C-alpha cells in the first residue's frame, strides 16, 4: 500500500492535542498505518495479499485482446462450462468417498465396541473405543500440523475471505486438498464432535481453484487455452461455484448449495454465475445419486442406503407432520430460545478459540497435546454418560426384533450394557455417527423412544463438546454439530411441553435445528432451503421460515455470526457491505499516509530495483514529467508483478527515451504477465542485475494501466468504500482537488478501509463507531431484575 506525505494541516497536531476531543479537527491523524498484514490461515499465521479484479488496460493487453478471434471466444465459453462439469463430477466423487470412508471406519469401530459390550468386556470396549479415537484424531492433527496447516478448521472463513478479495498462501493447493479430505475422514471417524459440511465447502473450492490455475508450467501441464483463466476474476467465479458444489456434496441439496454460496460466501454475484453454479450443483447431485444406487445392493460395506445427510421424513407418518395455528406461539418460543442458545454458543466458541490459539502458538507438540486432551475428554464423555441412562424395552411397533436381542427399528439402537430386548437411548445417540444420530432425532412417531433425562444429558454434552472440539488442529466443520445440537434441543422442548403441544417430537427437532442454525450462522434463505432438501417435506416451509427469521433477528442483538467472529479472530481483512457512519465524517484524504512512491514514465532500472527492495507496495503511480509532458500528469498505475517481469526480461534502454510502437513485438507476450496461482508470486530477490544494467532505463508506458480507478481527495470514505468493494479493487488512486499540486495524492488499499486502521489514525471517532443494537451486560441485568420483580409482584 502506497502512502502520502504529511500535509500542512498535520503540523498543527501537537497544539491540537490540548483541545477537547470534540473540538479536534477530524482530518488530523495520530498515527500511520501500522496494523498487521498477517492473519491466521488454517492453524498457522501467514502473510496475506489482496486480489485484484480490475481489468488492466495498457498497450500490451489491448493488442492481445485485438488479436483474439471468435474462435478464442468460443473456446473460452466452452472451457468455462467444461470446468463446471468437471468440478461437479470430481466434487461429487470426493463427497461420496468421504461419506463412504466415515461410515465404514466409524461403523467398524462401533460394531467392535458393541460386540465387546454384549460380551460384558466393558473395560476392553472402552480402551478400544478411546484408543481408536485418539489414534484417528492424532493422525488427522499430525498431517494438518506438519503437512498443510492451511487445511485446519472448516475452511469456510478462508473461502469467504478469498471471495471478498483476500488471498493467502496454500489455501487452495493440492496438498491442502489432500490433507482436507484425509484429515476430515479421520477427525469425523474419531467421534470428535465435528462435521463434514464445512470441510466439503473448502474441498469444493480447492478443486475449483486448481482448475483455475491455468495449468502448471512446472509439470508441463499447460496450453494456450488454459491461460484465459490466469486472472483473479475467473478464479473467483470458479471458487464460488466450487464452494456451492461442496455444500451440495455435503447435504445433497443443489438449490441450497447455490443459495449458500450466494448468501454466506460470495461478495460479488451476477446472473451468469447463477446458471453455471446451478449446473455444477445439479451435476454433483446426479453423481451422488448414481453412487447411492450402486451401494443399495450392499457393495459399499457399512455405507448401505444411507450415509449422506438426507433425513427423509415425508414418506413415513405423514399424518404426524401437521400443525395448527395454536402451535405458532410454541414455534416462536423455539426460535427465541434457539437464538439465545446460538448467541451464547458463539460467545463461548470465541473464548475457547482464543485460549486454543495461545496453546497452538507454542508449536506442533502443543497442538497434538491439545488434540489428545480433547479426544480423551470426548471418549470419556461419549462412553461414560450412557451408563447413567436407563435401559428401555425395544419398541413394539414395526418389525420383530432380531434373535440377537437388538432392537429392530427405524433408529439404529444400541444395547450397550442393557439385557437382550432392551436398548440404551443415550448410547444410541452417542455411539453413532452424527448422521445417524440426527436421523434418529428427526424420526417421527418416536415420541416415547427417548427419556427426558437422556435428552438433557445429550444436549448439554453436545453443546459443550461442540464448543470444545472445533479449535483442534484438524479439518473440522461446525454445520452438522449445530444441526445435531439443535435437534436435541427441539426434542427436549417438545418433551417439556408434553400434552400442551400437538406437534410431533421429530418435527420439533427439525425446528430446533433451524433455530440453532439461525442463532449461530445467521443465515436464512439458504438454511431454509437446505433443511427442506434434507427432510424432503415442503409442509415444514412456513414454520422453518418463521423460526429462522426470529432466531436470526434475536441473535443479531447479541453478537455476529460465528463465521464473521472467526474471520475477525483470524485477522482476515473482510470488507463488509455497509459503511459505518463515522466513515461519512472522513474523506479519503484523511486516511492515506506518506510517503508516496511513484515512477517516471521512463525510469532508471536502479531506482526501480531499489524501490522494490525497500517497500512492500504492490502498485506504483506512473507520472509523466518533462520532457515527456508539458507538466506532471498521472499516466497510470503499474503493478509490482509486472515490474518484476520487466526486470527479468532485461529489455532495457540505454537512454531515457520512449520506445517505438513496434518495440513490444517479439519481445513481450501477454502470457508473460499472467497472474500466477493463489499464494504464488515472484520476488525482487529473484532478480540479479549487473551494475551496467542498473544504470540503464526501462519504458513503463506500454505496461502501465492507463485507466485506473481514481477518486478525488474530498470524496467521503464511505462512498469510496462502496466503489472499492463493489468493483473489487486492490488499489484506488486518490487525486488532488486542485491542479497546482502533485497529480496523485496517494493510494487506498483494503487495509485503509479497516476500522482498526481508521480508528487508530483518528481515535476521537472511537465513541461514534457504528454498532448494532445489541444487549449490553448492564441492560441484560436490568431487564432480568425487572422480570424477577414482576414475577414476585404477580405471585
Amino acid at each position: 500500500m502506497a502512502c502520502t506525505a504529511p500535509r500542512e494541516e498535520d503540523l498543527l497536531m501537537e497544539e491540537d492535542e490540548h483541545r477537547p476531543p470534540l473540538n479536534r479537527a477530524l482530518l488530523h491523524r495520530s498515527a500511520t498505518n501500522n496494523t498487521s498484514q498477517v492473519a491466521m490461515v488454517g492453524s498457522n499465521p501467514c502473510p496475506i495479499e489482496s486480489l485484484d479484479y480490475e481489468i488492466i488496460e495498457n498497450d500490451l493487453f489491448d493488442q492481445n485482446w485485438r488479436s483474439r478471434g471468435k474462435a478464442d471466444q468460443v473456446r473460452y465459453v466452452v472451457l468455462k462450462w467444461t470446468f463446471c462439469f468437471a468440478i461437479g463430477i470430481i466434487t461429487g466423487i470426493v463427497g461420496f468417498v468421504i461419506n463412504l470412508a466415515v461410515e465404514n471406519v466409524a461403523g467398524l469401530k462401533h460394531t467392535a465396541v458393541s460386540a465387546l459390550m454384549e460380551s460384558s468386556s466393558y473395560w476392553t470396549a472402552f480402551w478400544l473405543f478411546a484408543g481408536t479415537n485418539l489414534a484417528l484424531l492424532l493422525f488427522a492433527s499430525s498431517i494438518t500440523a506438519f503437512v498443510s496447516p492451511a487445511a485446519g478448521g472448516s475452511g469456510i472463513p478462508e473461502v469467504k475471505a478469498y471471495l471478498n478479495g483476500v488471498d493467502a498462501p496454500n489455501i487452495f493447493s493440492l496438498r491442502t486438498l489432500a490433507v482436507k479430505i484425509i484429515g476430515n475422514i479421520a477427525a469425523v471417524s474419531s467421534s470428535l464432535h465435528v462435521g463434514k459440511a464445512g470441510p466439503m465447502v473448502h474441498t469444493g473450492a480447492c478443486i475449483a481453484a486448481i482448475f483455475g490455475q491455468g495449468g502448471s508450467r512446472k509439470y508441463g501441464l499447460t496450453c494456450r487455452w488454459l491461460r484465459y483463466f490466469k486472472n483473479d476474476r475467473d478464479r473467483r467465479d470458479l471458487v464460488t461455484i466450487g464452494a456451492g458444489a461442496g455444500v451440495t456434496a455435503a447435504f445433497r441439496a443443489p438449490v441450497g448449495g447455490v443459495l449458500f454460496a450466494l448468501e454466506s460466501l460470495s461478495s460479488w454475484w451476477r446472473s451468469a454465475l447463477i446458471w453455471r453454479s446451478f449446473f455444477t450443483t445439479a451435476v454433483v447431485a446426479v453423481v451422488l445419486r448414481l453412487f447411492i444406487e450402486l451401494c443399495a445392493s450392499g457393495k459399499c460395506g457399512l455405507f448401505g442406503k444411507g450415509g449422506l445427510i438426507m433425513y427423509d421424513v415425508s414418506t413415513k407418518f405423514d399424518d404426524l407432520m401437521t400443525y395448527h395455528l395454536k402451535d405458532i406461539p410454541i414455534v416462536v418460543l423455539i426460535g427465541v430460545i434457539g437464538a439465545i442458545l446460538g448467541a451464547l454458543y458463539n460467545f463461548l466458541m470465541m473464548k475457547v478459540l482464543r485460549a486454543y490459539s495461545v496453546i497452538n502458538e507454542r508449536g506442533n507438540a502443543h497442538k497434538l497435546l491439545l488434540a489428545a486432551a480433547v479426544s480423551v475428554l470426548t471418549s470419556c464423555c461419549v462412553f461414560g454418560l450412557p451408563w447413567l441412562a436407563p435401559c428401555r424395552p425395544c419398541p413394539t411397533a414395526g418389525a420383530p426384533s432380531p434373535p440377537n436381542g437388538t432392537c429392530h427399528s427405524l433408529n439404529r439402537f444400541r444395547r450397550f450394557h442393557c439385557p437382550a430386548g432392551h436398548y440404551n437411548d443415550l448410547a444410541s445417540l452417542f455411539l453413532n455417527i452424527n448422521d445417524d444420530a440426527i436421523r434418529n432425532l428427526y424420526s417421527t412417531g418416536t415420541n416415547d423412544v427417548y427419556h427426558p433425562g437422556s435428552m438433557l444429558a445429550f444436549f448439554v454434552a453436545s453443546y459443550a463438546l461442540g464448543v470444545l472440539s472445533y479449535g483442534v488442529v484438524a479439518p473440522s466443520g461446525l454445520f452438522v454439530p449445530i444441526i445435531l445440537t439443535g435437534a436435541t434441543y427441539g426434542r427436549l422442548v417438545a418433551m417439556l411441553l408434553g400434552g400442551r403441544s400437538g406437534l410431533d417430537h421429530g418435527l420439533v427437532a427439525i425446528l430446533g435445528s433451524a433455530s440453532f442454525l439461525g442463532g449461530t450462522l445467521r443465515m436464512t434463505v439458504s438454511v431454509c432451503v437446505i433443511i427442506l432438501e434434507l427432510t424432503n417435506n415442503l409442509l415444514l416451509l412456513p414454520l422453518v421460515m418463521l423460526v429462522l427469521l426470529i432466531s436470526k433477528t434475536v441473535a443479531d442483538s447479541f453478537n455476529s455470526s460465528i463465521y464473521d467472529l472467526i474471520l475477525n479472530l483470524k485477522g482476515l481483512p473482510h470488507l463488509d457491505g455497509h459503511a459505518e457512519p463515522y466513515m461519512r465524517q472522513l474523506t479519503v484524504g484523511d486516511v492515506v499516509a506518506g510517503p508516496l512512491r511513484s515512477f517516471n514514465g521512463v525510469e532508471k532500472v536502479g531506482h526501480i530495483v531499489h524501490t522494490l527492495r525497500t517497500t512492500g507496495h504492490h502498485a506504483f503511480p506512473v507520472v509523466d514529467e518533462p520532457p515527456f509532458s508539458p507538466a506532471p500528469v498521472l499516466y497510470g498505475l503499474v503493478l509490482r508483478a509486472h515490474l518484476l517481469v520487466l526486470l527479468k526480461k532485461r529489455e532495457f534502454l540505454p537512454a531515457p527515451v520512449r520506445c517505438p510502437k513496434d518495440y513490444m513485438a517479439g519481445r513481450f507476450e501477454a502470457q508473460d504477465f499472467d497472474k500466477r496461482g493463489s499464494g504464488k508470486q515472484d520476488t525482487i530477490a529473484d532478480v540479479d542485475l549487473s551494475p551496467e544494467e542498473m544504470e540503464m532505463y526501462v519504458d513503463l508506458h506500454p505496461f502501465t494501466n492507463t485507466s485506473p480507478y481514481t477518486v478525488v481527495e474530498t470524496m467521503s470514505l464511505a462512498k469510496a468504500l462502496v466503489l472499492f468493494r463493489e468493483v473489487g479493487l486492490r488499489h484506488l488512486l486518490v487525486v488532488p482537488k486542485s491542479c497546482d499540486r502533485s497529480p496523485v495524492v496517494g493510494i487506498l488499499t483494503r487495509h485503509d478501509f479497516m476500522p482498526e486502521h481508521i480508528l487508530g489514525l483518528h481515535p476521537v471517532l472511537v465513541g461514534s463507531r457504528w454498532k448494532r443494537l445489541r444487549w449490553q451486560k448492564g441492560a441484560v441485568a436490568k431487564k432480568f431484575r425487572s422480570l424477577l420483580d414482576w414475577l414476585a409482584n404477580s405471585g
Side-chain angles (χ1 to χ4, degrees):
M1 166 178 41
C3 312
T4 59
R7 295 170 295 168
E8 294 182 2
E9 292 87 349
D10 292 334
L11 300 177
L12 302 176
M13 275 295 297
E14 182 176 353
E15 63 181 57
D16 202 46
E17 290 291 335
H18 300 289
R19 301 179 187 175
L22 295 179
N23 294 331
R24 295 176 186 167
L26 291 179
L27 55 79
H28 289 171
R29 298 187 293 260
S30 65
T32 57
N33 189 342
N34 56 3
T35 47
S36 174
Q37 296 287 338
V38 176
M40 291 295 297
V41 179
S43 60
N44 275 10
C46 297
I48 55 175
E49 302 290 346
S50 293
L51 300 172
D52 193 355
Y53 304 128
E54 183 179 0
I55 297 177
I56 301 295
E57 294 181 345
N58 57 31
D59 295 344
L60 180 65
F61 287 92
D62 288 344
Q63 180 181 354
N64 176 62
W65 277 104
R66 288 193 297 268
S67 65
R68 294 186 181 183
K70 184 167 293 186
D72 293 312
Q73 300 175 12
V74 172
R75 291 193 198 102
Y76 176 65
V77 174
V78 171
L79 273 178
K80 286 198 295 186
W81 287 95
T82 303
F83 281 178
C84 291
F85 181 76
I87 292 169
I89 294 289
I90 297 176
T91 305
I93 294 174
V94 171
F96 171 77
V97 169
I98 290 177
N99 282 277
L100 177 66
V102 169
E103 287 275 346
N104 281 280
V105 174
L108 288 173
K109 178 186 66 178
H110 291 147
T111 301
V113 171
S114 297
L116 290 172
M117 291 296 295
E118 291 174 7
S119 63
S120 301
S121 301
Y122 300 139
W123 280 108
T124 305
F126 170 73
W127 291 119
L128 174 64
F129 181 73
T132 305
N133 291 341
L134 181 61
L136 287 171
L137 185 56
L138 285 180
F139 171 72
S141 300
S142 298
I143 61 174
T144 303
F146 292 102
V147 179
S148 179
S154 71
I156 289 182
E158 285 80 1
V159 174
K160 186 174 182 177
Y162 180 87
L163 294 179
N164 189 256
V166 180
D167 191 15
N170 301 319
I171 57 173
F172 297 133
S173 66
L174 187 61
R175 179 183 299 179
T176 299
L177 174 62
V179 172
K180 201 76 177 185
I181 296 172
I182 300 172
N184 187 233
I185 293 173
V188 175
S189 301
S190 69
S191 296
L192 196 68
H193 203 66
V194 295
K196 306 184 292 290
M200 269 308 308
V201 174
H202 193 186
T203 298
C206 285
I207 294 171
I210 290 174
F211 277 96
Q213 298 300 311
S216 172
R217 294 183 181 179
K218 180 179 179 181
Y219 299 104
L221 302 175
T222 186
C223 67
R224 190 170 65 91
W225 294 1
L226 294 178
R227 61 170 295 267
Y228 297 154
F229 295 88
K230 289 190 174 183
N231 61 81
D232 289 333
R233 297 181 305 280
D234 285 313
R235 287 171 181 164
R236 174 193 64 191
D237 290 348
L238 287 175
V239 169
T240 304
I241 292 169
V247 176
T248 305
F251 297 116
R252 206 193 312 167
V255 180
V258 176
L259 294 177
F260 185 91
L262 170 61
E263 181 181 10
S264 179
L265 299 177
S266 180
S267 297
W268 298 276
W269 198 269
R270 61 184 189 278
S271 58
L273 192 57
I274 294 180
W275 279 100
R276 287 192 283 150
S277 182
F278 186 70
F279 169 73
T280 307
T281 58
V283 172
V284 174
V286 171
V287 171
L288 294 176
R289 187 62 188 174
L290 289 175
F291 279 108
I292 290 173
E293 290 182 356
L294 291 176
C295 291
S297 59
K299 298 179 180 179
C300 300
L302 299 176
F303 184 80
K305 298 181 180 179
L308 295 171
I309 309 174
M310 192 68 178
Y311 320 113
D312 193 347
V313 298
S314 64
T315 58
K316 313 178 187 74
F317 310 109
D318 277 335
D319 57 323
L320 299 176
M321 302 301 294
T322 58
Y323 48 88
H324 306 281
L325 187 61
K326 65 178 182 180
D327 298 320
I328 298 300
I330 297 175
V331 175
V332 173
L333 178 65
I334 292 173
V336 172
I337 298 177
I340 296 173
L341 291 174
L344 179 61
Y345 190 90
N346 292 357
F347 173 78
L348 296 176
M349 179 75 74
M350 289 302 100
K351 296 295 184 182
V352 171
L353 289 180
R354 286 190 176 94
Y356 283 2
S357 64
V358 174
I359 299 174
N360 291 334
E361 287 174 358
R362 298 182 178 180
N364 291 333
H366 287 81
K367 295 177 182 179
L368 297 182
L369 287 175
L370 175 62
V374 174
S375 177
V376 172
L377 175 63
T378 302
S379 297
C380 292
C381 179
V382 170
F383 196 87
L385 286 179
W387 291 91
L388 305 177
C391 294
R392 301 167 66 88
C394 293
T396 56
S401 298
N404 59 0
T406 59
C407 298
H408 185 91
S409 174
L410 296 172
N411 300 271
R412 296 189 179 183
F413 289 123
R414 301 289 182 184
R415 278 181 56 188
F416 202 61
H417 67 293
C418 297
H422 292 71
Y423 70 97
N424 187 306
D425 56 353
L426 201 50
S428 300
L429 296 173
F430 273 127
L431 296 179
N432 267 323
I433 62 172
N434 288 338
D435 299 1
D436 291 330
I438 296 173
R439 192 173 291 111
N440 288 351
L441 294 172
Y442 281 1
S443 297
T444 53
T446 58
N447 292 2
D448 300 326
V449 167
Y450 299 101
H451 189 275
S454 298
M455 279 292 96
L456 179 60
F458 186 74
F459 170 71
V460 173
S462 178
Y463 195 95
L465 291 177
V467 172
L468 295 174
S469 300
Y470 180 74
V472 173
V473 182
S476 54
L478 285 169
F479 215 109
V480 174
I482 290 174
I483 292 177
L484 178 58
T485 304
T488 310
Y489 147 71
R491 277 264 178 179
L492 186 59
V493 170
M495 291 178 177
L496 295 177
L497 292 174
R500 289 183 290 273
S501 171
L503 296 174
D504 183 81
H505 291 190
L507 171 60
V508 182
I510 297 172
L511 298 179
S513 293
S515 68
F516 202 49
L517 285 168
T520 53
L521 306 183
R522 313 293 164 80
M523 292 180 289
T524 54
V525 179
S526 58
V527 169
C528 180
V529 173
I530 287 173
I531 289 178
L532 295 182
E533 290 183 293
L534 285 176
T535 58
N536 195 24
N537 194 314
L538 283 175
L539 294 175
L540 300 174
L541 179 60
L543 297 187
V544 173
M545 291 175 62
L546 180 62
V547 162
L548 284 170
L549 289 172
I550 293 173
S551 61
K552 173 178 166 46
T553 302
V554 174
D556 278 341
S557 63
F558 292 96
N559 50 33
S560 302
S561 72
I562 187 63
Y563 292 137
D564 289 340
L565 292 174
I566 295 175
L567 275 172
N568 293 332
L569 183 64
K570 286 177 173 288
L572 294 168
H574 184 274
L575 290 179
D576 294 327
H578 66 271
E580 300 192 13
Y582 65 78
M583 291 185 178
R584 301 192 180 277
Q585 304 178 40
L586 298 171
T587 65
V588 295
D590 297 330
V591 296
V592 290
L596 175 69
R597 300 295 185 93
S598 61
F599 292 128
N600 294 321
V602 180
E603 187 60 77
K604 193 173 183 180
V605 174
H607 181 238
I608 296 177
V609 172
H610 174 74
T611 302
L612 295 182
R613 285 176 177 172
T614 55
T615 67
H617 306 333
H618 289 269
F620 303 88
V622 175
V623 179
D624 268 342
E625 297 181 348
F628 301 106
S629 74
V633 60
L634 176 64
Y635 186 80
L637 192 72
V638 63
L639 300 180
R640 182 187 190 94
H642 293 179
L643 291 174
L644 292 173
V645 173
L646 293 177
L647 295 176
K648 287 186 174 182
K649 283 282 188 177
R650 290 180 166 82
E651 295 291 343
F652 303 141
L653 303 172
V657 295
R658 293 194 63 168
C659 59
K661 292 291 185 181
D662 58 348
Y663 176 76
M664 295 182 298
R667 290 182 170 87
F668 298 97
E669 297 181 0
Q671 63 184 11
D672 296 331
F673 300 88
D674 286 340
K675 178 71 178 289
R676 298 191 63 183
S678 176
K680 301 176 182 178
Q681 58 183 353
D682 295 324
T683 63
I684 187 62
D686 301 328
V687 178
D688 185 16
L689 301 177
S690 65
E692 292 78 13
E693 291 173 323
M694 297 285 279
E695 297 298 323
M696 300 180 74
Y697 296 85
V698 58
D699 186 4
L700 300 179
H701 292 95
F703 315 98
T704 300
N705 182 10
T706 57
S707 58
Y709 284 88
T710 60
V711 295
V712 182
E713 62 179 338
T714 55
M715 177 183 286
S716 71
L717 192 61
K719 193 173 182 179
L721 172 63
V722 174
L723 173 65
F724 191 92
R725 187 182 186 276
E726 295 302 321
V727 179
L729 301 178
R730 184 175 186 179
H731 306 98
L732 183 60
L733 287 174
V734 181
V735 297
K737 184 73 172 179
S738 58
C739 59
D740 57 345
R741 298 169 56 189
S742 173
V744 57
V745 175
I747 299 180
L748 289 175
T749 66
R750 170 179 299 268
H751 198 45
D752 295 298
F753 292 100
M754 301 309 296
E756 295 79 9
H757 168 59
I758 299 172
L759 298 177
L761 295 178
H762 305 282
V764 68
L765 296 174
V766 173
S768 64
R769 183 178 181 182
W770 178 89
K771 294 180 180 179
R772 290 190 177 187
L773 180 60
R774 289 185 174 136
W775 290 99
Q776 305 299 322
K777 295 180 180 179
V780 174
K782 182 178 178 181
K783 294 294 183 182
F784 186 69
R785 286 194 299 268
S786 300
L787 177 62
L788 292 179
D789 293 340
W790 179 80
L791 291 175
N793 294 332
S794 61

